[in-house]
Amino acid sequence: MDALFNLENICVVLVESQGPRNIGSVCRAMKNFGLRDLRLVNPQTDHLSHGARQMAVKATDLLEDARIYASLADALHDCVTAFGTTRRFGKYREDMLLPDEAATMALPLSTDGPIALVFGREDSGLHTAELDLCQHFVTIPTDEALPSMNLAQAVALCLYELRRAQGKIQIADNGKALAGVQNMEKMYAHMEESLMSCGFLNPQNPDHIMRAFRRIFARAGLDDREVRILHGLWSQIDTLNDQLPVSSDG
Amino acid sequence: MDALFNLENICVVLVESQGPRNIGSVCRAMKNFGLRDLRLVNPQTDHLSHGARQMAVKATDLLEDARIYASLADALHDCVTAFGTTRRFGKYREDMLLPDEAATMALPLSTDGPIALVFGREDSGLHTAELDLCQHFVTIPTDEALPSMNLAQAVALCLYELRRAQGKIQIADNGKALAGVQNMEKMYAHMEESLMSCGFLNPQNPDHIMRAFRRIFARAGLDDREVRILHGLWSQIDTLNDQLPVSSDG
């Protein structure tokens, strides 16, 4: 499978992380979703310790390859743009993105160079001066009863959305999963014929209803199996039609 | 904001979890996304140990309220339906849901009673006999290089999607664009009856095809007019059925 947008061009930046196990868990999540570039800004713990390796499981290679920086500005030196994660709204409110929106925005930008996804401290997140180094702001919608997420889980959610966005864009672009246009048109032709002969479509204006169905199926994006199921339904209607007594004006 | 679908009616079931810290992390994720009901099937560790409490942070109440069961069947005794998470495809391949699809399907069902989201062992997941107790199957798309996710991260992803789906469905019900869930369910009931009586659905397993249609329409997001058009199509099939000569074995 050719990745149209290479997630390896997206880096995860952890600012002053305190827990070695969190850093290890982040590595595992990164490898789960096809990322490789981990950058640690002034880590407050040994990121190569036993706990970190234990949580990284088969992603210790990412842990060992992680680069250390003294400041967030240093870590972002070669990045095209940076997405900062925060639960603090304030002056960033208007620009706040949900993870799926951020992913859809980040992917196409990643063809121009590294894109950074920046996560703050476990207890106090990113400081204002650090958020000022970011061009976009991401927040994960959580419950008021306990809004603060585990660091590695927050990273995993954002990477999952990147992967989802990548999948969508790939499916759209190389047409593997979705039924091709020819198959869809064949299905629509069958549908129109069946629905016309059973009297559901108005012969004066069949397009009116057909267009509504075209919109529904276009929004859904059908795969081959789903197209076959629809053919089956139209064939069943054909069978019913064939069993009907011939009408007197037929 | 009134939650139309109460996520508290969705329970997380962990089967034979080995890590106390994972169980604690799951509690935190549950509270992050507004869930409360944790069920542990034959846990292989003390879920009230220090490590579990440490990772639960402010969600130790969920840890303390967790109920223990000897078997998955016991844990599911009052559940309307169960979604099993798995990376094994095999015989479940056709029915495999992505987390967002599972969330969209689970939410409306949760008005009828508890819905279970079932997660297996850290190292070997759910066994076949356990998957057989589930009606739906969920998989998280990950990279071949490291497909296996951390348990608590996998739970967090699924709960995040439930929360996202809740938001979407609420927007739908506040009335502007999408048809309400009740209207959709009424349409599905009509559809199932019509397609059953015309012989399109297999009476032994109508869910198989109905689920395919539910996925299509859930992805598309139907408005009221589109739901009326579908009702019209099923009514037309009803009319055809009524006109058929009564079959000899009818």
Side-chain angles (χ1 to χ4, degrees), chain A residues 77-95:
Chain A
H77 71 280
D78 61 340
C79 291
V80 177
T81 191
F83 290 73
T85 53
T86 180
R87 291 194 295 112
R88 293 186 302 141
F89 291 79
K91 71 178 192 181
Y92 307 104
R93 181 180 293 273
E94 283 193 6
D95 303 317

Side-chain angles (χ1 to χ4, degrees), chain B residues 121-155:
Chain B
R121 299 151 191 83
E122 283 90 336
D123 51 2
S124 60
L126 292 171
H127 299 162
T128 305
E130 291 156 353
L131 285 169
D132 283 341
L133 295 174
C134 301
Q135 291 73 44
H136 307 281
F137 310 97
V138 191
T139 198
I140 299 174
T142 47
D143 201 280
E144 289 158 21
L146 182 54
S148 162
M149 286 190 71
N150 169 272
L151 172 62
Q153 286 179 13
V155 174

Side-chain angles (χ1 to χ4, degrees), chain A residues 18-25 45-47 49 51-53 55 122:
Chain A
Q18 293 140 354
R21 301 177 64 90
N22 278 340
I23 300 177
S25 292
T45 179
D46 175 11
H47 71 288
S49 67
R53 289 177 187 277
M55 296 307 284
E122 283 91 337

Side-chain angles (χ1 to χ4, degrees), chain B residues 1-247:
Chain B
M1 184 171 69
D2 275 348
L4 216 132
F5 294 107
N6 196 337
L7 293 188
E8 293 190 9
N9 241 354
I10 297 182
C11 64
V12 171
V13 183
L14 302 181
V15 177
E16 299 204 339
S17 299
Q18 293 140 353
R21 300 177 64 90
N22 277 340
I23 300 177
S25 292
V26 166
C27 288
R28 181 173 177 183
M30 287 176 68
K31 201 160 180 176
N32 284 150
F33 293 114
L35 282 81
R36 292 209 53 87
D37 184 354
L38 176 62
R39 306 180 181 198
L40 302 173
V41 176
N42 191 25
Q44 304 294 297
T45 180
D46 175 12
H47 71 288
L48 296 172
S49 66
H50 175 70
R53 290 178 186 278
Q54 199 182 12
M55 295 308 283
V57 194
K58 288 174 188 160
T60 47
D61 50 333
L62 272 71
L63 210 48
E64 281 154 13
D65 292 346
R67 281 172 290 177
I68 313 285
Y69 298 90
S71 71
L72 179 57
D74 288 347
L76 299 178
H77 70 282
D78 61 341
C79 291
V80 177
T81 193
F83 290 73
T85 53
T86 179
R87 290 193 297 112
R88 294 186 301 142
F89 291 78
K91 71 179 192 180
Y92 308 103
R93 179 180 294 276
E94 283 197 5
D95 301 317
M96 201 60 82
L97 301 167
L98 295 173
D100 53 332
E101 296 171 332
T104 309
M105 190 178 287
L107 267 191
L109 298 172
S110 70
T111 52
D112 297 335
I115 302 295
L117 209 49
V118 188
F119 295 86
R121 299 151 191 83
E122 283 90 336
D123 51 2
S124 60
L126 292 171
H127 299 162
T128 305
E130 291 156 353
L131 285 169
D132 283 341
L133 295 174
C134 301
Q135 291 73 44
H136 307 281
F137 310 97
V138 191
T139 198
I140 299 174
T142 47
D143 201 280
E144 289 158 21
L146 182 54
S148 162
M149 286 190 71
N150 169 272
L151 172 62
Q153 286 179 13
V155 174
L157 285 193
C158 291
L159 305 191
Y160 160 79
E161 285 290 9
L162 278 170
R163 185 86 177 190
R164 243 166 51 95
Q166 189 192 31
K168 271 191 209 156
I169 291 174
Q170 276 173 13
I171 287 167
D173 268 59
N174 296 346
K176 304 299 136 85
L178 295 186
V181 173
Q182 278 194 321
N183 281 343
M184 286 302 293
E185 290 303 318
K186 227 180 270 175
M187 189 282 289
Y188 285 129
H190 187 181
M191 179 179 186
E192 184 162 349
E193 208 187 308
S194 304
L195 297 191
M196 187 83 88
S197 61
C198 81
F200 180 63
L201 294 181
N202 175 357
Q204 305 305 316
N205 188 10
D207 287 353
H208 183 64
I209 295 289
M210 283 302 295
R211 208 175 301 149
F213 278 107
R214 278 178 178 268
R215 286 173 71 166
I216 292 173
F217 295 140
R219 291 204 307 269
L222 304 186
D223 64 24
D224 284 336
R225 173 174 169 260
E226 292 167 336
V227 170
R228 280 197 302 275
I229 291 175
L230 287 172
H231 269 299
L233 177 55
W234 316 140
S235 295
Q236 188 70 23
I237 292 178
D238 296 342
T239 305
L240 289 183
N241 267 324
D242 293 345
Q243 292 173 353
L244 283 188
V246 179
S247 90

Side-chain angles (χ1 to χ4, degrees), chain A residues 46-192:
Chain A
D46 175 11
H47 71 288
L48 295 172
S49 67
H50 176 69
R53 289 177 187 277
Q54 199 181 14
M55 296 307 284
V57 194
K58 289 174 188 160
T60 46
D61 50 334
L62 272 69
L63 210 48
E64 281 154 13
D65 291 347
R67 282 171 289 177
I68 313 285
Y69 298 89
S71 71
L72 179 57
D74 288 348
L76 300 177
H77 71 280
D78 61 340
C79 291
V80 177
T81 191
F83 290 73
T85 53
T86 180
R87 291 194 295 112
R88 293 186 302 141
F89 291 79
K91 71 178 192 181
Y92 307 104
R93 181 180 293 273
E94 283 193 6
D95 303 317
M96 202 60 82
L97 301 166
L98 295 172
D100 53 333
E101 297 170 333
T104 310
M105 187 179 292
L107 266 192
L109 297 174
S110 69
T111 53
D112 298 335
I115 303 294
L117 210 48
V118 187
F119 296 85
R121 299 149 191 85
E122 283 91 337
D123 53 3
S124 59
L126 291 172
H127 299 162
T128 305
E130 291 156 352
L131 285 169
D132 283 341
L133 295 174
C134 301
Q135 290 74 45
H136 307 283
F137 309 97
V138 191
T139 197
I140 298 173
T142 47
D143 202 279
E144 289 159 19
L146 182 54
S148 161
M149 286 190 73
N150 167 271
L151 173 62
Q153 287 180 14
V155 174
L157 286 192
C158 292
L159 304 191
Y160 160 78
E161 285 290 11
L162 278 171
R163 184 84 177 191
R164 240 165 54 95
Q166 188 195 31
K168 270 188 208 157
I169 294 174
Q170 274 174 16
I171 285 167
D173 272 52
N174 66 15
K176 287 283 159 52
L178 293 189
V181 174
Q182 279 194 320
N183 280 343
M184 286 302 292
E185 288 306 317
K186 226 180 271 178
M187 190 280 288
Y188 285 130
H190 187 180
M191 180 179 185
E192 184 163 348

